[in-house]
Amino acid sequence: MRSLGFFCLFWILFPASVCIAQHLNDYGIIYLGPNQGLPTMHSEAVVQDMGGFMWMAAYGTGLIRYDGFRYRVFNQTQESSPRLTDNHVKDILTDQAGRLWIGHLSGIDILHPKSLKILFRISLKQNPNDTPGFVHRFIKDESGDIWAAVYNKGIVKFKNGDPQKMEWVQSIMEVISINRTPDGTMYCISNFGFYRYQNNKFESCFPQLPYMPVNMPVIKPIEDSTGKLVGYWLVRLTGEVTPFRYNSAIQGFEPGMPPSGITVLSHPAFQKAMLMSENNYYKHALYRHGIRCYTDRQNVIWVAMQYGGYFKMKLKEVKFNTCPDLEGVSLRGMIEARDGTIFLGTYNGLFHFNPSTNRAKLISDRPQIVAFQPACIMGDTLLSFSETQAVVYQSLRRPWVYQKASGLTQDNLNTIYAGLELDSSFFLAGNRNLFLINAKNLEIIPFQTLPCSPETKTFAFKHAINGGIWVGTSQGVFRLNRSGKIDTPEWLRQIPQLGTESRINDIFEENNGTLWFATHHNGLVKVLPQDQSIKVWGKNEGLPSNETYKITSTDSGNTIWVSTSAGLCALETQNEQWHIFSEIDGTAGSEFNTGSFLKARNGTLYWGGVRGLTYFHPETFKPAETIAPEPYISEINIEDIYSSVIHKCNQPPKDTVFQLRSSQNTLEFFLGTTDYFRPESNSFLIKLDPTDAEWIPLGDLRSIKYYRLPAGEYTLQIRYSNHNSSIYKISFRIDEVLYQKGWFQILAGLVVLATLAGLWGLRQSRIRREEQIRKAIANDLHNTLGGKISTLGHMIHVMELRQKDGKNIQNEFQRVSELIKKAQETLSDVIWVLSRKSSVETDLINRMHDYADRWLLSTHIQVKFEKELEPGASPIPLSIQHECLLLYKELLGNILKHTYTENVHILVVNRLDSGLTIEVKNYFKNRKEDVPKGGVGLQMVKEHILKLGGKVEITSELNSFTVKINIPRPFKNRWK
C-alpha cells in the first residue's frame, strides 16, 4: 500500500524527464497520459499494424487501439468486440502476415487487426494437466520464428510464425524478457540472471544472481530506439544502481552507460519519496519502470514506461537555439550591428544580444520608452521607433544614453510600426502619411500619403526588385515607384485577402517575382504576377494559425519560413509540405510577434516571440526522410451506432464499396492518421462525390457527419491539407426506398394493371355467370310455365268436347283454375328473376312473405312471419335466392298437403357470422291420413341444400314439426 502511495505521489508530481544517452536535445518529446486521453497509465508495449493503427498493451486494462485522435479498448468484458481471453496484456507483436500476437496472463490471442476477429487462442501448457503460462515478451528473428518468454515456464518458439507449430525450447523459471542485441545475439533475462542463446540453447552468463525469494536484485533492460537490447540496469539490494552496456566485440556486457540506450530518470520529488520506503528496491525509480521501445513508420520512437503512459520522441528537423537571458521576454524589432551583435527591442526595454556567448543584456529599461523597431545604426547612434516616443536615438557608447529625437511632435508619428533604411541614409517611416527622415539631423520630409483612411497603420516596408517599395498596411497592400508615386497593380488590390479589408504584416518578393504576403486572419498568400493566380494557406490548409507575421526564404529558395501566432513554420516549395515547430522542437515558444525578425549577414535567422528569442541557421533544416503519412477512416457510425462495415474497408484503402439500406443514410466518419508524433497539426480536406464540387476543409474537426443522404452511389475522399498526401477513398452505395426502385415501380404497375384486368375480367365473368344463371332460371321457369300452359290448353280442349257432349265439366273447370293460378305464380317468378335484383330485404323476403300470405292465409291458417337482417351482411346470390325460394315453396306445399294446419311460424335470418337461416314451424291438429307419405319432398330439400354447402335440421313432435335450413357464409355462387 505504501508503494501505491508513492506511485500516486509520483504522478501528481509528474512529468518525468526522458534521457536518450547524451543526446536529449536532438529529440522532440511528447507525453501521452490520462490528460491526453490515454485510458490507463499502464503501458507495457506498443506496435503499429500494416493499416497504420497503433496498438498498446495495457496490463489490467486490455488492448488499446489508437488512431492519432481516439482510443478504443478491447478486453475480456462482454461489451468488447472482440473479447480477449484475459485483460492483463503484457506484450504485442505483429507477424509477417500482419496479425497481432497478444500475450497475457492466460496465454496468447492472435487477432486480425482489420476484421477484429480472434484467429487463435493459445494456452501455453507443457502438458494437458499443466497450468497456462504467462507471456512476458515476444521477439521475432530473421527466419520469421516467433519466440515468447513465458514467466512461469520458460521459452517457447513458433516455427515460421505459425501458431500451430509450437515447441518448447527451454525451461527457465521466472523469465521476464527475451531480446536481441544489435549484432543478432539473443538474450533472455530472468530473476536469476542473464542467459545467452548459443549452441541451440540458453546458457547462463554474467551476471548470475543468487536465488533470494525476498529482496532479490533486479535487472532492467535498456533498449535503443528500435527495441534492441543495448544494456541493462542492475539494482542491488542496497538500492545501488549500476548501468551495463553491450559490447559486440566480446558478445557480452561491461560496466558503462550504452551510447544509444533509452531509459527514464524519474522526477527528483519522486526519488525523494522513494527514500521513505522500507524496501531498498523501491528507493530507485528504475525498479518501477520497465522501458520498452518501438519505432513506427514515420520514425517516431514510442517509449512504454510500464506505469507511466507513453513518450513519443522524434529527431528534430532543425537545430533551434534560445537565449536564457530572454526567457519570457516579449520581443519586437531587431537590428544587427557591424560586429555581429544584435539589438533587440522588447516591451521591457532595449537588449543587446551576443550570439557568440548566447547572452543578452538589458541596456535601457525605461518603461515609458518601448522600442518596437531598432531602425538603423549611424556610427555610434542607434535610431529606433517607439510606441510612446515616436522616433528616438541612443548613443551606443557607455554609459548608455537614451534620448527622444527633437522636433517630432506630429500626432501621426506618435505610433510607428515599421521602417526601411534607404541607400541615401534616409529612413522611411509613418502610417497613412509616409515620411523621409534624415538620419543625421532627424529632419522630417513629407514623402507620400496613401489613399486610405487616417486610421490606417503601416506594418511593413520592403524593397521591390524593380527598385520601388512595397508597403503593407491595415487596409491592404501598396507599391511605390522610385519617385514615390503609387503604382500598385489594380488586380493586386482586388484580391480579397490583400484588399481594403486586409491587414498586411509582411511582404516577401522572390527574385523570380513571386510575392508572399503575411496577413492578419487570412494566413499566408502566394501570388504569381505572371498569371495573377494566388494560393492561400491558413488553418484549413496546413498552417497552425491564420495569423502570420514575418516571411523569409532560404538562399536556395527551396524553403519558405513564416512565423505565426501558433508556431514557426517551414514550407518546402517543391512538394508544398508544411513543417510546424513549437517548444517541443526547441523554440522559445509557439507565439511569435509582428515585425520581430532578422536575417543576419551570416544567414542566421532570428525570430522574436512573446516568450523569448529563437534563432538557427536554415541550412540545419533537414526534413526526416520517412514514408509519407497517410490519412484514413478509423471508424464509421451508421445511424449513430458503431458499424463493423469499416472492417471490410482497406487500410490504407484504394477503392472499397459497401452497400447500405435506404434506412442507413445518416453516416459519421471518424478520421485517423499515420502521422502520430503531432497528429493534431494535421488538418483534413474532405470531398464527397458527387455531392461536393470542391474539397472542403475540416479545420480542427476529426470527424464528418452526413445526415439523410439520398439514395445513390458515393465516394468519400480524404487527404491532408498541409502537404500533398495520398487520397483515402471509400465508396458506398445507399439503396433506394423500395417504392422508388425502378423494378418495383414496374412490378407495381404490372400488379395494378393485372389487378384492374382481373377485376374487369371478374366483373365480366360475374355478369356472364349471372346472365347464365338468369337464363337457366328463366328457362327452367319458362319450361315449367310452358308445361302448365300446354296442360291448360289441353284441359280447355277436353272441356269443349265434354260440353258438346252435354257432360258435366265442373271438375275440369276446377283443375283449369288451379293450373291458371300456378301459371301466374310461375310467370311472377320469371319476372322476379329477370328483374336483376339481389337484395334480401326487398325481394326474397317480400316474396316469401307474399307466398305465405297467398298460400296459407287464403286457407285460413294463421301466419307469423319474422325477419332478422344484420346490417352489412353479405348479399345473397340470385342462384341461392332462387334455390331457397323453391325449397321454401316446397315446404309450404308439404304443410298444405300433409297436415290440417292451424298456424305457421316463419323466421328468416341473415347474419355476418352464421349466414342465411330459414326456419319454418308447422303447428297442426291432425295429419292427413289419405295422402301418400313418401318423404320425396323433404329428401329433395336436403339434396339441394347440400349442393349449396348448407345443412337441414328437421325436428318432429306430436302436433308440430320444424324444418331449419342454414347456408353459412361465404355463399357459393353456383347453379346446379
Side-chain angles (χ1 to χ4, degrees):
M1 293 298 295
R2 178 174 295 184
S3 63
L4 178 61
F6 297 152
F7 174 68
C8 297
L9 175 61
F10 166 61
W11 287 111
I12 294 175
L13 301 173
F14 198 78
S17 60
V18 179
C19 296
I20 305 176
Q22 308 301 320
H23 310 291
L24 175 63
N25 292 333
D26 295 338
Y27 287 84
I29 301 173
I30 296 176
Y31 176 67
L32 279 184
N35 290 340
Q36 290 73 35
L38 192 69
T40 176
M41 288 187 295
H42 289 268
S43 53
E44 300 287 347
V46 59
V47 297
Q48 186 175 31
D49 66 20
M50 292 182 177
F53 283 115
M54 302 301 301
W55 298 83
M56 303 173 179
Y59 191 81
T61 300
L63 184 67
I64 302 172
R65 191 185 72 181
Y66 179 50
D67 66 2
F69 308 109
R70 286 166 300 276
Y71 300 90
R72 189 172 179 208
V73 178
F74 304 94
N75 50 31
Q76 198 179 8
T77 61
Q78 292 184 353
E79 295 78 13
S80 177
S81 178
R83 295 178 63 184
L84 301 184
T85 305
D86 198 285
N87 289 343
H88 297 79
V89 179
K90 192 70 175 178
D91 197 14
I92 43 181
L93 175 141
T94 56
D95 63 13
Q96 294 175 341
R99 300 172 298 189
L100 289 178
W101 291 60
I102 307 165
H104 48 66
L105 271 178
S106 301
I108 301 172
D109 289 343
I110 298 181
L111 173 71
H112 192 286
K114 180 179 174 182
S115 65
L116 293 182
K117 292 182 178 179
I118 300 292
L119 305 178
F120 298 93
R121 299 184 190 269
I122 303 173
S123 181
L124 298 173
K125 296 182 178 181
Q126 294 176 328
N127 58 71
N129 298 325
D130 199 3
T131 57
F134 175 15
V135 174
H136 250 274
R137 181 69 186 268
F138 290 117
I139 65 167
K140 182 172 55 179
D141 62 22
E142 303 94 342
S143 64
D145 295 343
I146 294 177
W147 302 66
V150 185
Y151 177 76
N152 51 347
K153 303 293 179 182
I155 305 298
V156 67
K157 182 173 69 173
F158 296 87
K159 192 68 176 176
N160 297 323
D162 189 341
Q164 298 177 323
K165 295 181 179 179
M166 182 179 74
E167 59 183 57
W168 288 96
V169 177
Q170 190 170 337
S171 294
I172 301 176
M173 294 304 296
E174 298 190 26
V175 58
I176 58 176
S177 178
I178 183 171
N179 208 333
R180 302 174 69 218
T181 58
D183 62 4
T185 306
M186 189 180 303
Y187 284 85
C188 74
I189 304 174
S190 78
N191 286 331
F192 304 106
F194 260 67
Y195 298 83
R196 179 171 57 202
Y197 188 72
Q198 55 187 1
N199 302 322
N200 294 324
K201 64 178 181 179
F202 286 93
E203 298 179 350
S204 178
C205 60
F206 178 83
Q208 180 64 42
L209 304 179
Y211 176 71
M212 300 176 63
V214 182
N215 298 331
M216 290 189 302
V218 176
I219 299 174
K220 289 294 180 181
I222 301 176
E223 298 180 357
D224 65 7
S225 60
T226 64
K228 297 292 180 61
L229 181 69
V230 294
Y232 65 88
W233 294 92
L234 180 62
V235 185
R236 292 183 173 85
L237 178 62
T238 59
E240 179 185 357
V241 179
T242 305
F244 289 83
R245 62 186 173 213
Y246 180 74
N247 187 338
S248 59
I250 63 174
Q251 288 191 335
F253 295 88
E254 61 186 12
M257 191 71 181
S260 59
I262 298 177
T263 187
V264 172
L265 301 179
S266 68
H267 193 280
F270 180 57
Q271 293 183 0
K272 183 178 180 180
M274 286 287 188
L275 296 176
M276 299 171 58
S277 171
E278 296 178 358
N279 191 318
N280 288 332
Y281 292 117
Y282 290 161
K283 292 182 179 180
H284 199 283
L286 292 173
Y287 180 80
R288 304 288 286 173
H289 295 278
I291 309 305
R292 294 289 308 279
C293 303
Y294 179 83
T295 302
D296 68 17
R297 292 200 291 268
Q298 273 65 50
N299 288 340
V300 176
I301 302 169
W302 297 73
V303 182
M305 296 179 58
Q306 187 175 3
Y307 294 103
Y310 293 89
F311 279 106
K312 297 185 293 182
M313 303 189 297
K314 188 176 183 181
L315 279 171
K316 296 177 181 178
E317 297 171 287
V318 61
K319 179 65 174 178
F320 291 107
N321 300 285
T322 61
C323 177
D325 298 326
L326 297 172
E327 183 177 351
V329 177
S330 182
L331 276 66
R332 302 302 299 185
M334 311 177 193
I335 191 170
E336 184 182 15
R338 293 178 181 177
D339 61 358
T341 61
I342 298 173
F343 292 93
L344 307 172
T346 75
Y347 284 102
N348 295 23
L350 188 67
F351 280 85
H352 184 228
F353 171 67
N354 189 342
S356 62
T357 61
N358 195 30
R359 301 307 300 265
K361 184 177 181 179
L362 182 65
I363 62 175
S364 176
D365 59 353
R366 297 179 63 181
Q368 70 273 21
I369 302 176
V370 179
F372 270 95
Q373 178 70 45
C376 64
I377 298 176
M378 302 298 298
D380 294 331
T381 301
L382 174 65
L383 183 67
S384 304
F385 295 140
S386 170
E387 184 177 8
T388 58
Q389 301 287 329
V391 179
V392 296
Y393 66 92
Q394 176 175 357
S395 173
L396 299 181
R397 292 182 180 182
R398 297 183 181 181
W400 306 108
V401 178
Y402 197 53
Q403 184 176 352
K404 177 182 176 182
S406 61
L408 299 178
T409 59
Q410 292 88 342
D411 292 339
N412 52 27
L413 286 180
N414 282 345
T415 303
I416 299 176
Y417 292 89
L420 187 69
E421 189 174 1
L422 302 179
D423 296 337
S424 59
S425 299
F426 283 84
F427 200 82
L428 184 68
N431 293 322
R432 173 176 177 264
N433 297 317
L434 306 181
F435 299 88
L436 287 175
I437 301 176
N438 189 316
K440 293 182 178 180
N441 56 19
L442 301 183
E443 180 184 1
I444 299 174
I445 304 173
F447 185 70
Q448 182 59 267
T449 300
L450 300 178
C452 44
S453 64
E455 296 80 16
T456 302
K457 292 181 173 60
T458 299
F459 290 94
F461 287 126
K462 282 294 181 71
H463 289 291
I465 59 175
N466 64 356
I469 298 174
W470 288 104
V471 184
T473 74
S474 57
Q475 291 194 17
V477 61
F478 297 92
R479 188 177 66 184
L480 309 179
N481 61 19
R482 296 185 180 184
S483 61
K485 294 184 178 180
I486 298 174
D487 66 348
T488 312
E490 186 61 30
W491 63 268
L492 193 63
R493 290 276 297 172
Q494 298 302 319
I495 297 174
Q497 294 83 355
L498 306 177
T500 57
E501 300 298 324
S502 302
R503 169 177 146 181
I504 309 300
N505 288 329
D506 194 21
I507 305 166
F508 178 76
E509 186 175 14
E510 296 187 62
N511 293 330
N512 61 5
T514 301
L515 292 168
W516 299 80
F517 298 90
T519 70
H520 178 68
H521 293 326
N522 289 327
L524 181 68
V525 181
K526 177 184 178 181
V527 179
L528 296 177
Q530 298 87 342
D531 57 5
Q532 301 180 7
S533 63
I534 71 167
K535 186 166 185 178
V536 179
W537 285 276
K539 199 168 183 180
N540 290 330
E541 292 79 28
L543 281 180
S545 170
N546 290 331
E547 183 74 26
T548 53
Y549 296 135
K550 296 298 294 185
I551 315 169
T552 190
S553 172
T554 57
D555 294 337
S556 62
N558 293 331
T559 307
I560 296 291
W561 291 86
V562 57
S563 57
T564 76
S565 63
L568 184 62
C569 306
L571 174 66
E572 294 184 72
T573 56
Q574 294 181 349
N575 57 16
E576 294 189 345
Q577 179 171 342
W578 282 103
H579 302 264
I580 303 168
F581 304 103
S582 62
E583 299 97 324
I584 296 171
D585 307 283
T587 66
S590 297
E591 185 176 355
F592 292 84
N593 271 330
T594 305
S596 186
F597 168 75
L598 171 69
K599 185 174 184 179
R601 289 187 294 270
N602 63 0
T604 301
L605 304 181
Y606 294 85
W607 307 83
V610 300
R611 295 178 58 186
L613 177 68
T614 300
Y615 65 100
F616 63 96
H617 199 285
E619 296 301 326
T620 63
F621 172 60
K622 294 180 180 179
E625 296 180 359
T626 60
I627 300 174
E630 297 176 330
Y632 60 89
I633 292 176
S634 59
E635 292 184 8
I636 299 177
N637 281 0
I638 300 177
E639 300 298 324
D640 297 325
I641 298 174
Y642 173 81
S643 174
S644 61
V645 72
I646 187 64
H647 304 158
K648 303 175 183 178
C649 302
N650 298 323
Q651 299 178 40
K654 298 307 173 189
D655 288 314
T656 301
V657 179
F658 56 92
Q659 185 79 30
L660 300 174
R661 299 189 301 273
S662 58
S663 59
Q664 297 175 312
N665 59 353
T666 295
L667 293 88
E668 185 172 11
F669 299 90
F670 295 89
L671 310 184
T673 174
T674 59
D675 186 5
Y676 284 99
F677 183 67
R678 221 178 336 225
E680 66 280 353
S681 66
N682 292 295
S683 57
F684 294 90
L685 296 174
I686 198 164
K687 184 179 180 183
L688 182 64
D689 291 330
T691 302
D692 300 329
E694 298 178 349
W695 289 92
I696 299 174
L698 293 185
D700 294 331
L701 296 179
R702 298 294 179 256
S703 65
I704 183 70
K705 190 171 186 178
Y706 295 96
Y707 294 89
R708 300 291 174 250
L709 288 173
E713 297 184 359
Y714 298 89
T715 298
L716 182 65
Q717 302 183 68
I718 304 169
R719 68 177 178 88
Y720 293 131
S721 60
N722 57 338
H723 54 76
N724 294 329
S725 72
S726 60
I727 297 178
Y728 182 103
K729 292 183 180 180
I730 285 185
S731 297
F732 57 95
R733 183 183 298 108
I734 298 178
D735 206 357
E736 292 180 328
V737 181
L738 184 62
Y739 63 79
Q740 291 180 341
K741 294 184 178 182
W743 65 266
F744 180 84
Q745 293 176 347
I746 294 175
L747 180 61
L750 294 176
V751 170
V752 171
L753 292 176
T755 302
L756 293 176
L759 292 174
W760 184 82
L762 180 62
R763 178 176 176 78
Q764 296 300 314
S765 175
R766 287 181 175 178
I767 292 174
R768 290 193 298 269
R769 183 66 173 163
E770 187 175 325
E771 287 295 326
Q772 292 175 359
I773 294 173
R774 292 177 185 277
K775 289 179 180 179
I777 296 174
N779 288 337
D780 181 42
L781 295 174
H782 179 269
N783 293 336
T784 303
L785 180 61
K788 288 181 171 59
I789 292 174
S790 298
T791 303
L792 183 60
H794 177 71
M795 290 298 297
I796 292 174
H797 178 68
V798 171
M799 289 175 64
E800 290 176 348
L801 293 177
R802 290 181 65 85
Q803 189 177 16
K804 288 180 180 182
D805 296 338
K807 295 180 178 179
N808 186 0
I809 58 174
Q810 185 64 34
N811 292 334
E812 285 77 6
F813 182 79
Q814 185 67 30
R815 290 186 60 189
V816 168
S817 177
E818 291 177 358
L819 284 173
I820 290 174
K821 289 181 180 180
K822 291 181 178 180
Q824 287 178 342
E825 293 174 357
T826 303
L827 182 59
S828 175
D829 288 342
V830 173
I831 294 172
W832 174 67
V833 169
L834 295 179
S835 67
R836 297 179 176 272
K837 293 181 180 179
S838 60
S839 172
V840 175
E841 296 87 338
T842 58
D843 291 305
L844 179 62
I845 301 300
N846 292 340
R847 197 158 188 81
M848 293 174 67
H849 200 172
D850 182 60
Y851 277 127
D853 291 343
R854 188 184 304 172
W855 288 15
L856 300 178
L857 287 177
S858 61
T859 57
H860 307 288
I861 298 175
Q862 294 183 4
V863 176
K864 183 180 181 182
F865 193 95
E866 294 181 328
K867 59 181 179 180
E868 296 179 9
L869 305 177
E870 186 176 353
S874 300
I876 302 173
L878 288 174
S879 59
I880 294 180
Q881 291 189 38
H882 174 63
E883 290 291 323
C884 291
L885 190 60
L886 291 178
L887 298 176
Y888 175 75
K889 290 165 66 175
E890 181 67 27
L891 292 176
L892 296 184
N894 282 341
I895 289 174
L896 296 173
K897 182 178 180 180
H898 294 285
T899 61
Y900 297 103
T901 300
E902 293 181 337
N903 60 76
V904 175
H905 183 196
I906 302 171
L907 176 64
V908 181
V909 180
N910 187 27
R911 291 197 179 99
L912 281 170
D913 54 351
S914 59
L916 177 65
T917 301
I918 300 174
E919 184 178 284
V920 179
K921 292 184 177 181
N922 178 22
Y923 299 93
F924 54 89
K925 290 183 178 180
N926 297 303
R927 297 181 186 270
K928 296 180 179 179
E929 299 297 335
D930 56 341
V931 179
K933 301 178 181 63
V936 178
L938 290 178
Q939 186 63 33
M940 181 199 71
V941 170
K942 290 181 179 180
E943 290 178 356
H944 275 256
I945 292 300
L946 289 175
K947 289 180 180 181
L948 295 175
K951 61 181 180 179
V952 179
E953 296 180 7
I954 301 175
T955 56
S956 180
E957 297 179 3
L958 180 62
N959 294 109
S960 67
F961 71 83
T962 302
V963 178
K964 185 177 181 180
I965 300 171
N966 177 255
I967 304 175
R969 295 179 59 250
F971 299 118
K972 295 182 180 180
N973 189 4
R974 56 199 295 181
W975 174 254
K976 295 293 184 181

